[in-house]
Amino acid sequence: MKIVGRNRWYVALLLATATIAHAQSGGSAATTANVSAPVAAASPVNAKAQRAANRQLAKNVRQALSRTKTLNIVNVTVRAKQGVVTLQGSMPDNNQIEQAAKVASAVSGVASVRNDLTTIRQAQ
């Protein structure tokens, strides 16, 4: 391809501009790609999916607790956030509190259990 007359200057200007831009970006296309890569963790879609996963995990733990016949879970609240399950509320005795923590930790997807359950004194 032959560049004639004034077009030669345009080509030279384009090449010079491209060379300067390349030099200012660090000289490599990989560097430029890494700098401009979007952050996916902050997207609303991922946040929505995480909230749904948290709700499902809390539901699974509540179901496991309710299936355990020796537990009285009337006053128990279950919360989940990224695999960490928090048990809050009150139970009749320490044995049930310990058992509830064991049952919760056995549920698939539970990374750890924070047991904030307390005992309630029953009127005699």
Side-chain angles (χ1 to χ4, degrees), residues 64-81:
L65 292 172
S66 68
R67 288 184 188 134
T68 306
K69 299 295 181 191
T70 57
L71 293 179
N72 178 357
I73 62 163
V74 173
N75 296 320
V76 176
T77 302
V78 178
R79 292 196 174 116
K81 186 171 184 180

Side-chain angles (χ1 to χ4, degrees), residues 13-74:
L13 180 62
L14 285 172
L15 286 174
T17 305
T19 303
I20 291 169
H22 182 71
Q24 288 178 348
S25 70
S28 94
T31 303
T32 305
N34 288 338
V35 171
S36 63
V39 178
S43 73
V45 174
N46 288 341
K48 185 176 181 180
Q50 184 62 54
R51 285 191 303 272
N54 291 340
R55 283 191 300 270
Q56 185 62 48
L57 181 58
K59 180 180 176 183
N60 293 345
V61 171
R62 276 191 297 276
Q63 286 177 345
L65 292 172
S66 68
R67 288 184 188 134
T68 306
K69 299 295 181 191
T70 57
L71 293 179
N72 178 357
I73 62 163
V74 173

Side-chain angles (χ1 to χ4, degrees), residues 89-113:
S90 57
M91 297 187 97
D93 59 56
N94 285 328
N95 291 335
Q96 286 193 30
I97 291 173
E98 291 172 15
Q99 187 178 10
K102 287 179 185 176
V103 169
S105 65
V107 174
S108 177
V110 174
S112 64
V113 175

